[in-house]
Amino acid sequence: MIRYEDLLRPTPEGLYCPPGDFHIDPVAPVARAVVTHGHSDHARSGHGTVLATPQTLAIMAERYGEDFAGRREALAYGERTERDGVEVSLVPAGHVLGSAQAVIRWRGLTMVASGDYKRRRDPTCAPFEPVPCHVFVSEATFGLPVFVHPPAEDEVARLVQSLRQFPERAHLVGAYALGKAQRVIRLLREAGWERPVYVHGALERLNRLYKREGVELGPLAPATGLPPNSLGGEVVIAPPSATQDRWSRRFADPVRAFASGWMLVRARARQRGVELPLVLSDHADWPELTATFAELRPEEVWITHGREEGLLRWCELNGQAARALRLVGYDEEDEESGPEGEDQATERS
């Protein structure tokens, strides 16, 4: 009788598929890797072969250089490939551009490694697609009942309201370079903000990549070479750490904002000196996580990188078999130090 661990098992390098001889989002260089998305805690350089969506491969090349792996294998959403009798396909995860769930099938067994995901609408990436499976591997970044995130549109409306209320002040929004920054910009456009959005240099390359992939961001301008007290009444998007350093002093009495699911925890906002916390996450909150489990009803849920205990308890109370993988090496809310310098200002939501 086939056991789940015969197809996927946790190892120090990450989830490993013995019959296919590959890892999923390995945290150290391996011979063959399946990468779910481009955040640097999941997409590392130095692997022999990387299989991912075309967008994720493009993001990795942008961040690490064209030689980030010995070989690339692009697999579009819905396509299937086979490795030593193991079928692999990628379906949207709704996290960031190109993010995917890895669907692994072998001898009648289906396991889904979802990577990072969210269930709510995001105008910058394909929405999450549920896949019936025997085992669903889920993140738990916001795996506590307290984490109920408001609608993203409402949070961006608060930003627009503040711009109208304080037209003499620059609004400096901290947002991670991959996914969050582009989502904030796109939501601003949908809210009717037509003026140029000013961006920190660490965001420019990924913004261009998003545009090449068909995500319309509207007029953007560099937030560089400006005189003191600049950009009153304008929006500036920057890596979170840049909003706290000397770079930010050029702006007119800035309103410091931060777009992150962790802004629901007011103590974190105070610690960062955030005047306008925007609760905007690229991860599933508690209702999304538990609704996904209830919708899929897999034979087992495997829970990893985050608040595992809360979700384990929910599963126990709801008759869902579950276990914690306790994988290490994955950051919360993508608070990453990216190789292209988004944390060299210094700079995972």
Side-chain angles (χ1 to χ4, degrees):
M1 184 175 179
I2 299 174
R3 301 173 304 162
Y4 302 137
E5 292 80 2
D6 293 334
L7 181 55
L8 283 180
R9 66 181 62 165
T11 71
E13 294 77 22
L15 274 177
Y16 176 61
C17 176
D21 190 24
F22 61 84
H23 290 78
I24 299 174
D25 292 346
V27 298
V30 298
R32 298 203 290 185
V34 174
V35 173
T36 62
H37 66 279
H39 281 137
S40 64
D41 57 334
H42 291 254
R44 290 169 164 84
S45 62
H47 305 307
T49 297
V50 170
L51 182 147
T53 64
Q55 295 87 352
T56 293
L57 292 174
I59 289 166
M60 293 181 72
E62 197 68 63
R63 301 190 120 182
Y64 297 113
E66 294 294 333
D67 60 349
F68 68 85
R71 181 170 174 265
R72 310 180 202 180
E73 291 185 25
L75 193 65
Y77 293 138
E79 293 182 349
R80 300 185 179 193
T81 189
E82 188 174 293
R83 289 185 166 182
D84 300 332
V86 177
E87 182 186 280
V88 179
S89 61
L90 301 175
V91 301
H95 179 54
V96 296
L97 180 69
S99 61
Q101 305 171 77
V103 182
I104 315 298
R105 295 183 172 95
W106 180 66
R107 297 185 180 179
L109 181 61
T110 300
M111 301 179 73
V112 175
S114 61
D116 291 335
Y117 67 98
K118 66 178 179 293
R119 302 300 304 269
R120 59 188 66 197
R121 174 183 174 273
D122 182 338
T124 69
C125 66
F128 179 97
E129 292 184 9
V131 177
C133 54
H134 297 93
V135 175
F136 182 69
V137 184
S138 176
E139 62 150 308
T141 302
F142 292 107
L144 289 174
V146 68
F147 290 114
V148 180
H149 296 148
E153 293 78 9
D154 291 356
E155 295 301 283
V156 171
R158 293 176 53 239
L159 172 59
V160 173
Q161 180 183 18
S162 182
L163 284 156
R164 292 170 179 159
Q165 186 175 0
F166 302 107
E168 75 285 359
R169 303 179 66 186
H171 282 61
L172 187 53
V173 182
Y176 299 117
L178 172 57
K180 190 68 64 63
Q182 296 79 23
R183 187 178 175 206
V184 169
I185 294 168
R186 185 67 209 142
L187 288 170
L188 273 168
R189 300 307 184 198
E190 292 185 350
W193 189 261
E194 298 178 351
R195 294 159 70 171
V197 172
Y198 293 82
V199 297
H200 187 283
L203 312 183
E204 290 179 354
R205 288 191 295 169
L206 287 173
N207 287 343
R208 288 196 297 267
L209 188 152
Y210 266 68
K211 286 185 174 183
R212 291 197 302 269
E213 292 293 333
V215 179
E216 180 52 55
L217 300 177
L220 305 177
T224 56
L226 301 169
N229 297 314
S230 295
L231 303 184
E234 305 293 349
V235 178
V236 183
I237 310 289
S241 60
T243 67
Q244 305 295 321
D245 68 12
R246 289 181 301 172
W247 177 85
S248 68
R249 297 176 189 171
R250 69 192 73 183
F251 304 111
D253 189 18
V255 174
R256 287 181 169 81
F258 184 18
S260 168
W262 294 111
M263 290 298 95
L264 195 64
V265 182
R266 297 307 181 190
R268 292 206 179 199
R270 289 194 298 270
Q271 289 167 2
R272 288 179 172 266
V274 174
E275 183 176 348
L276 181 61
L278 302 173
V279 183
L280 187 66
S281 177
D282 285 331
H283 295 259
D285 64 3
W286 176 265
E288 291 173 85
L289 291 164
T290 56
T292 300
F293 297 173
E295 177 183 7
L296 294 176
R297 295 301 299 181
E299 293 181 5
E300 279 195 14
V301 170
W302 291 3
I303 303 168
T304 184
H305 57 281
R307 280 136 188 84
E308 299 165 340
E309 291 76 11
L311 286 172
L312 286 173
R313 179 60 175 162
W314 182 92
C315 289
E316 179 184 358
L317 293 173
N318 287 272
Q320 171 66 67
R323 58 176 285 199
L325 296 185
R326 310 198 188 284
L327 297 175
V328 298
Y330 302 95
D331 296 328
E332 296 182 345
E333 185 67 342
D334 308 313
E335 297 194 53
E336 57 185 35
S337 177
E340 80 280 6
E342 66 242 22
D343 204 20
Q344 293 172 16
T346 36
E347 193 188 28
R348 51 214 324 156
S349 75

